[in-house]
Protein backbone atom coordinates (compact mmCIF):
# COMPACT_ATOMS: atom_id res chain seq x y z
CA UNK A 1 0.00 0.00 0.00
CA UNK A 2 1.54 3.29 -1.13
CA UNK A 3 0.74 6.56 0.62
CA UNK A 4 2.30 9.84 -0.64
CA UNK A 5 5.43 8.99 -2.53
CA UNK A 6 6.70 6.16 -4.46
CA UNK A 7 9.14 4.92 -1.86
CA UNK A 8 6.95 4.78 1.25
CA UNK A 9 4.76 1.91 2.05
CA UNK A 10 3.01 0.28 4.95
CA UNK A 11 2.94 -3.41 5.53
CA UNK A 12 0.24 -4.61 7.82
CA UNK A 13 0.52 -8.07 9.32
CA UNK A 14 -1.77 -9.87 11.63
CA UNK A 15 -0.50 -12.46 14.09
CA UNK A 16 -1.86 -14.33 17.12
CA UNK A 17 -0.72 -13.09 20.67
CA UNK A 18 -0.74 -16.57 22.18
CA UNK A 19 2.89 -17.47 21.35
CA UNK A 20 4.06 -14.11 22.72
CA UNK A 21 2.14 -14.60 25.94
CA UNK A 22 3.51 -18.11 26.25
CA UNK A 23 7.09 -16.82 25.72
CA UNK A 24 6.57 -14.09 28.31
CA UNK A 25 5.26 -16.66 30.80
CA UNK A 26 8.27 -18.90 30.21
CA UNK A 27 10.62 -15.96 30.72
CA UNK A 28 8.81 -14.97 33.93
CA UNK A 29 9.02 -18.54 35.25
CA UNK A 30 12.70 -18.64 34.28
CA UNK A 31 13.33 -15.51 36.28
CA UNK A 32 11.69 -17.13 39.35
CA UNK A 33 13.95 -20.17 39.06
CA UNK A 34 16.90 -17.89 38.43
CA UNK A 35 16.11 -15.89 41.58
CA UNK A 36 15.75 -19.12 43.57
CA UNK A 37 19.09 -20.40 42.25
CA UNK A 38 20.85 -17.13 43.00
CA UNK A 39 19.39 -17.20 46.54
CA UNK A 40 20.68 -20.74 47.08
CA UNK A 41 24.10 -19.76 45.75
CA UNK A 42 24.08 -16.72 48.08
CA UNK A 43 23.22 -18.91 51.08
CA UNK A 44 25.97 -21.37 50.13
CA UNK A 45 28.49 -18.57 49.73
CA UNK A 46 27.41 -17.12 53.10
CA UNK A 47 27.97 -20.50 54.75
CA UNK A 48 31.39 -20.78 53.18
CA UNK A 49 32.18 -17.25 54.33
CA UNK A 50 31.06 -18.10 57.86
CA UNK A 51 33.32 -21.14 57.92
CA UNK A 52 36.27 -19.27 56.50
CA UNK A 53 35.92 -16.00 58.39
CA UNK A 54 33.34 -16.01 61.18
CA UNK A 55 34.11 -19.31 62.91
CA UNK A 56 37.89 -18.68 63.22
CA UNK A 57 37.12 -15.26 64.65
CA UNK A 58 34.63 -16.75 67.12
CA UNK A 59 37.24 -19.37 68.13
CA UNK A 60 39.89 -16.66 68.55
CA UNK A 61 37.45 -14.67 70.67
CA UNK A 62 36.80 -17.71 72.92
CA UNK A 63 40.52 -18.31 73.37
CA UNK A 64 41.05 -14.63 74.20
CA UNK A 65 38.33 -14.81 76.85
CA UNK A 66 39.95 -17.89 78.43
CA UNK A 67 43.29 -16.12 78.43
CA UNK A 68 41.70 -13.19 80.25
CA UNK A 69 40.61 -15.73 82.90
CA UNK A 70 44.24 -16.98 83.23
CA UNK A 71 43.43 -20.20 81.38
CA UNK A 72 46.16 -20.84 78.82
CA UNK A 73 45.29 -24.42 77.93
CA UNK A 74 43.08 -23.55 74.92
CA UNK A 75 44.78 -22.91 71.56
CA UNK A 76 43.56 -21.38 68.32
CA UNK A 77 43.32 -23.67 65.27
CA UNK A 78 45.43 -22.35 62.41
CA UNK A 79 43.67 -23.29 59.14
CA UNK A 80 44.90 -20.63 56.75
CA UNK A 81 47.89 -18.53 55.92
CA UNK A 82 46.03 -15.24 55.76
CA UNK A 83 45.58 -12.44 58.28
CA UNK A 84 43.25 -14.55 60.45
CA UNK A 85 45.76 -17.41 60.50
CA UNK A 86 48.54 -15.00 61.48
CA UNK A 87 46.32 -13.60 64.22
CA UNK A 88 45.75 -17.14 65.57
CA UNK A 89 49.49 -17.87 65.52
CA UNK A 90 50.23 -14.63 67.36
CA UNK A 91 47.55 -15.36 69.98
CA UNK A 92 48.93 -18.88 70.53
CA UNK A 93 52.44 -17.46 70.97
CA UNK A 94 51.12 -14.89 73.45
CA UNK A 95 49.28 -17.65 75.34
CA UNK A 96 52.44 -19.81 75.58
CA UNK A 97 54.54 -16.85 76.69
CA UNK A 98 52.06 -15.84 79.37
CA UNK A 99 51.74 -19.46 80.55
CA UNK A 100 55.52 -19.79 80.90
CA UNK A 101 55.71 -16.48 82.71
CA UNK A 102 52.87 -17.50 85.03
CA UNK A 103 54.45 -20.91 85.75
CA UNK A 104 57.77 -19.23 86.50
CA UNK A 105 56.01 -16.77 88.78
CA UNK A 106 54.23 -19.63 90.58
CA UNK A 107 57.52 -21.46 91.09
CA UNK A 108 59.20 -18.34 92.45
CA UNK A 109 56.21 -17.67 94.67
CA UNK A 110 56.32 -21.25 95.96
CA UNK A 111 60.06 -20.91 96.60
CA UNK A 112 59.40 -17.65 98.43
CA UNK A 113 56.73 -19.32 100.57
CA UNK A 114 59.14 -22.15 101.34
CA UNK A 115 61.85 -19.67 102.30
CA UNK A 116 59.42 -17.80 104.52
CA UNK A 117 58.28 -21.05 106.12
CA UNK A 118 61.91 -22.09 106.58
CA UNK A 119 62.72 -18.78 108.25
CA UNK A 120 59.67 -19.17 110.48
CA UNK A 121 60.77 -22.66 111.52
CA UNK A 122 64.31 -21.44 112.14
CA UNK A 123 62.92 -18.70 114.35
CA UNK A 124 60.84 -21.27 116.24
CA UNK A 125 63.92 -23.47 116.55
CA UNK A 126 65.90 -20.55 117.90
CA UNK A 127 63.25 -19.80 120.51
CA UNK A 128 62.98 -23.50 121.36
CA UNK A 129 66.74 -23.75 121.61
CA UNK A 130 66.97 -20.80 123.99
CA UNK A 131 64.09 -22.05 126.14
CA UNK A 132 65.45 -25.60 126.30
CA UNK A 133 68.98 -24.47 127.06
CA UNK A 134 67.68 -22.22 129.82
CA UNK A 135 65.76 -25.09 131.39
CA UNK A 136 68.19 -27.97 130.94
CA UNK A 137 71.32 -26.01 131.86
CA UNK A 138 69.77 -24.47 134.93
CA UNK A 139 70.24 -27.57 137.10
CA UNK A 140 73.90 -28.37 136.27
CA UNK A 141 74.86 -24.70 136.44
CA UNK A 142 73.23 -24.46 139.87
CA UNK A 143 75.10 -27.57 141.03
CA UNK A 144 78.42 -26.29 139.72
CA UNK A 145 77.86 -22.90 141.31
CA UNK A 146 76.94 -24.42 144.67
CA UNK A 147 79.88 -26.81 144.80
CA UNK A 148 82.32 -24.14 143.58
CA UNK A 149 81.16 -21.75 146.33
CA UNK A 150 81.54 -24.60 148.83
CA UNK A 151 85.16 -25.07 147.76
CA UNK A 152 85.75 -21.32 147.86
CA UNK A 153 84.37 -21.00 151.38
CA UNK A 154 86.40 -23.99 152.58
CA UNK A 155 83.34 -26.05 153.49
CA UNK A 156 84.85 -29.17 151.90
CA UNK A 157 88.41 -30.33 152.48
CA UNK A 158 90.40 -33.46 151.77
CA UNK A 159 88.30 -36.25 150.25
CA UNK A 160 85.15 -34.12 150.39
CA UNK A 161 86.85 -31.49 148.25
CA UNK A 162 87.75 -34.18 145.72
CA UNK A 163 84.07 -35.26 145.64
CA UNK A 164 83.06 -31.65 145.03
CA UNK A 165 85.56 -31.34 142.18
CA UNK A 166 84.46 -34.61 140.56
CA UNK A 167 80.83 -33.48 140.80
CA UNK A 168 81.69 -30.19 139.08
CA UNK A 169 83.51 -32.10 136.33
CA UNK A 170 80.58 -34.52 135.84
CA UNK A 171 78.08 -31.69 135.58
CA UNK A 172 80.36 -29.91 133.09
CA UNK A 173 80.40 -33.05 130.95
CA UNK A 174 76.59 -33.19 131.06
CA UNK A 175 76.40 -29.57 129.95
CA UNK A 176 78.84 -30.25 127.12
CA UNK A 177 76.86 -33.26 125.88
CA UNK A 178 73.62 -31.30 126.03
CA UNK A 179 74.96 -28.33 124.06
CA UNK A 180 76.63 -30.64 121.51
CA UNK A 181 73.40 -32.57 120.94
CA UNK A 182 71.34 -29.39 120.66
CA UNK A 183 73.69 -27.93 118.09
CA UNK A 184 73.63 -31.19 116.14
CA UNK A 185 69.84 -31.40 116.01
CA UNK A 186 69.64 -27.72 115.08
CA UNK A 187 71.86 -28.40 112.07
CA UNK A 188 69.77 -31.42 111.10
CA UNK A 189 66.49 -29.50 111.31
CA UNK A 190 67.78 -26.43 109.48
CA UNK A 191 68.76 -28.56 106.47
CA UNK A 192 72.31 -27.21 106.50
CA UNK A 193 73.86 -30.65 106.81
CA UNK A 194 74.86 -32.70 103.77
CA UNK A 195 75.45 -36.43 103.93
CA UNK A 196 78.77 -37.83 102.77
CA UNK A 197 77.54 -41.05 101.14
CA UNK A 198 80.01 -43.93 100.94
CA UNK A 199 80.17 -47.72 101.18
CA UNK A 200 81.37 -49.20 104.45
CA UNK A 201 81.18 -52.36 106.56
CA UNK A 202 78.44 -51.80 109.14
CA UNK A 203 79.56 -54.87 111.14
CA UNK A 204 83.04 -53.40 111.60
CA UNK A 205 81.49 -50.15 112.88
CA UNK A 206 79.23 -52.01 115.33
CA UNK A 207 82.12 -54.11 116.65
CA UNK A 208 84.15 -50.93 117.20
CA UNK A 209 81.31 -49.34 119.19
CA UNK A 210 80.80 -52.52 121.25
CA UNK A 211 84.47 -52.40 122.18
CA UNK A 212 84.27 -48.72 123.16
CA UNK A 213 81.17 -49.33 125.34
CA UNK A 214 82.48 -52.57 126.89
CA UNK A 215 83.75 -51.01 130.16
CA UNK A 216 80.50 -49.09 130.77
CA UNK A 217 78.38 -52.19 130.18
CA UNK A 218 80.66 -54.26 132.42
CA UNK A 219 80.43 -51.68 135.20
CA UNK A 220 76.62 -52.04 135.15
CA UNK A 221 76.85 -55.83 134.80
CA UNK A 222 74.99 -55.75 131.46
CA UNK A 223 75.88 -58.15 128.65
CA UNK A 224 76.26 -56.61 125.17
CA UNK A 225 76.13 -59.11 122.27
CA UNK A 226 76.22 -58.91 118.47
CA UNK A 227 74.29 -61.60 116.59
CA UNK A 228 74.79 -61.98 112.84
CA UNK A 229 75.43 -64.82 110.41
CA UNK A 230 77.32 -62.43 108.13
CA UNK A 231 81.09 -62.14 108.05
CA UNK A 232 80.86 -58.63 106.62
CA UNK A 233 78.01 -56.41 105.51
CA UNK A 234 78.54 -53.33 103.34
CA UNK A 235 75.93 -50.59 103.37
CA UNK A 236 75.54 -47.19 101.69
CA UNK A 237 75.37 -44.12 103.93
CA UNK A 238 77.18 -41.44 105.90
CA UNK A 239 79.42 -43.40 108.26
CA UNK A 240 79.86 -40.46 110.66
CA UNK A 241 76.11 -39.83 111.01
CA UNK A 242 75.24 -43.53 111.25
CA UNK A 243 77.91 -43.96 113.94
CA UNK A 244 76.05 -41.28 115.89
CA UNK A 245 72.77 -43.19 115.37
CA UNK A 246 74.28 -46.41 116.73
CA UNK A 247 76.02 -44.56 119.57
CA UNK A 248 72.77 -42.94 120.69
CA UNK A 249 70.86 -46.23 120.50
CA UNK A 250 73.50 -48.19 122.40
CA UNK A 251 73.80 -45.38 124.95
CA UNK A 252 70.00 -45.42 125.48
CA UNK A 253 70.09 -49.18 125.91
CA UNK A 254 72.84 -48.79 128.52
CA UNK A 255 70.82 -46.18 130.44
CA UNK A 256 67.53 -48.07 130.54
CA UNK A 257 68.63 -51.70 130.85
CA UNK A 258 68.54 -53.14 134.38
CA UNK A 259 71.64 -54.75 135.84
CA UNK A 260 72.33 -58.39 134.92
CA UNK A 261 70.23 -58.08 131.74
CA UNK A 262 71.30 -58.18 128.07
CA UNK A 263 71.49 -55.81 125.11
CA UNK A 264 71.37 -57.67 121.79
CA UNK A 265 72.37 -56.17 118.44
CA UNK A 266 71.28 -58.12 115.37
CA UNK A 267 72.25 -57.56 111.72
CA UNK A 268 70.61 -59.40 108.81
CA UNK A 269 69.90 -58.82 105.11
CA UNK A 270 66.79 -59.07 102.99
CA UNK A 271 67.44 -58.64 99.26
CA UNK A 272 68.97 -55.13 98.94
CA UNK A 273 68.07 -54.07 102.48
CA UNK A 274 70.10 -54.45 105.67
CA UNK A 275 68.07 -54.80 108.88
CA UNK A 276 69.66 -53.65 112.15
CA UNK A 277 68.02 -54.00 115.56
CA UNK A 278 69.07 -53.16 119.11
CA UNK A 279 67.03 -54.76 121.90
CA UNK A 280 67.51 -54.07 125.58
CA UNK A 281 66.04 -56.75 127.82
CA UNK A 282 64.12 -55.96 130.99
CA UNK A 283 62.80 -52.59 129.76
CA UNK A 284 59.30 -51.45 128.82
CA UNK A 285 57.77 -48.30 127.30
CA UNK A 286 54.03 -47.51 127.60
CA UNK A 287 52.49 -47.86 124.15
CA UNK A 288 51.00 -44.36 124.22
CA UNK A 289 54.44 -42.87 124.89
CA UNK A 290 56.42 -44.50 122.07
CA UNK A 291 55.77 -41.89 119.34
CA UNK A 292 56.40 -39.04 121.78
CA UNK A 293 59.97 -40.24 122.33
CA UNK A 294 60.95 -38.88 118.90
CA UNK A 295 60.05 -35.36 120.06
CA UNK A 296 62.86 -33.08 121.18
CA UNK A 297 63.39 -32.86 124.94
CA UNK A 298 60.53 -35.29 125.62
CA UNK A 299 60.96 -37.62 128.55
CA UNK A 300 58.57 -40.17 129.94
CA UNK A 301 59.64 -38.85 133.33
CA UNK A 302 57.54 -35.67 133.42
CA UNK A 303 59.66 -34.35 136.29
CA UNK A 304 62.64 -34.22 133.89
CA UNK A 305 64.73 -36.27 136.26
CA UNK A 306 68.36 -36.21 135.18
CA UNK A 307 69.37 -39.31 137.11
CA UNK A 308 69.83 -41.20 133.87
CA UNK A 309 71.66 -38.28 132.25
CA UNK A 310 69.04 -38.11 129.50
CA UNK A 311 68.25 -34.82 127.78
CA UNK A 312 65.53 -36.15 125.47
CA UNK A 313 67.51 -35.52 122.27
CA UNK A 314 68.92 -38.98 121.46
CA UNK A 315 65.98 -40.40 119.49
CA UNK A 316 65.17 -37.01 117.96
CA UNK A 317 68.65 -36.98 116.41
CA UNK A 318 68.34 -40.64 115.38
CA UNK A 319 65.01 -39.96 113.65
CA UNK A 320 66.32 -37.03 111.60
CA UNK A 321 69.50 -38.83 110.51
CA UNK A 322 67.56 -41.93 109.44
CA UNK A 323 65.08 -39.75 107.55
CA UNK A 324 67.99 -38.26 105.62
CA UNK A 325 69.04 -41.83 104.74
CA UNK A 326 65.45 -42.67 103.66
CA UNK A 327 65.47 -45.49 106.22
CA UNK A 328 62.45 -47.12 107.77
CA UNK A 329 62.59 -47.47 111.56
CA UNK A 330 60.43 -48.50 114.50
CA UNK A 331 60.49 -48.65 118.28
CA UNK A 332 58.44 -51.49 119.78
CA UNK A 333 58.00 -53.46 122.97
CA UNK A 334 58.95 -57.13 122.78
CA UNK A 335 58.03 -59.96 125.16
CA UNK A 336 60.85 -59.08 127.55
CA UNK A 337 62.31 -55.80 126.37
CA UNK A 338 62.33 -52.86 123.97
CA UNK A 339 63.62 -53.09 120.40
CA UNK A 340 64.64 -50.36 117.97
CA UNK A 341 64.91 -51.48 114.34
CA UNK A 342 66.03 -49.61 111.25
CA UNK A 343 67.08 -50.37 107.68
CA UNK A 344 69.92 -49.27 105.41
CA UNK A 345 70.58 -49.73 101.72
CA UNK A 346 72.87 -52.64 101.00
CA UNK A 347 75.90 -52.01 98.82
CA UNK A 348 76.49 -54.32 95.86
CA UNK A 349 79.04 -56.94 96.91
CA UNK A 350 80.59 -56.90 93.44
CA UNK A 351 81.45 -53.23 93.87
CA UNK A 352 83.43 -54.08 96.99
CA UNK A 353 85.88 -56.36 95.17
Amino acid sequence: MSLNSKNDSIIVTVSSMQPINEAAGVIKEFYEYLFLGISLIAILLSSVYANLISKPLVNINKVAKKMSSMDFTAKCEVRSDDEIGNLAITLNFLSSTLKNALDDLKQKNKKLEEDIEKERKLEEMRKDFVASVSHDLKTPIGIIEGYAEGLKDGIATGEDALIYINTIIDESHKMNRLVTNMLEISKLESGNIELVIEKFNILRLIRKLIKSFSLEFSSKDIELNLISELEYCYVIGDIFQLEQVLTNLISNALKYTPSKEKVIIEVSTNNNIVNISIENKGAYIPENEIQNLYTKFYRIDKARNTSKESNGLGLAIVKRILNLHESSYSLTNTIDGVKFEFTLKKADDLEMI
Side-chain angles (χ1 to χ4, degrees), residues 148-163:
E149 288 179 353
L151 290 173
K152 179 182 177 181
D153 296 337
I155 297 176
T157 57
E159 292 185 2
D160 290 338
L162 183 60
I163 294 174

Side-chain angles (χ1 to χ4, degrees), residues 102-117:
L102 183 62
D103 290 343
D104 184 59
L105 183 61
K106 287 181 179 179
Q107 290 179 357
K108 290 181 178 179
N109 184 57
K110 184 178 179 181
K111 180 66 168 57
L112 179 61
E113 290 177 352
E114 291 176 353
D115 291 340
I116 293 174
E117 180 65 17

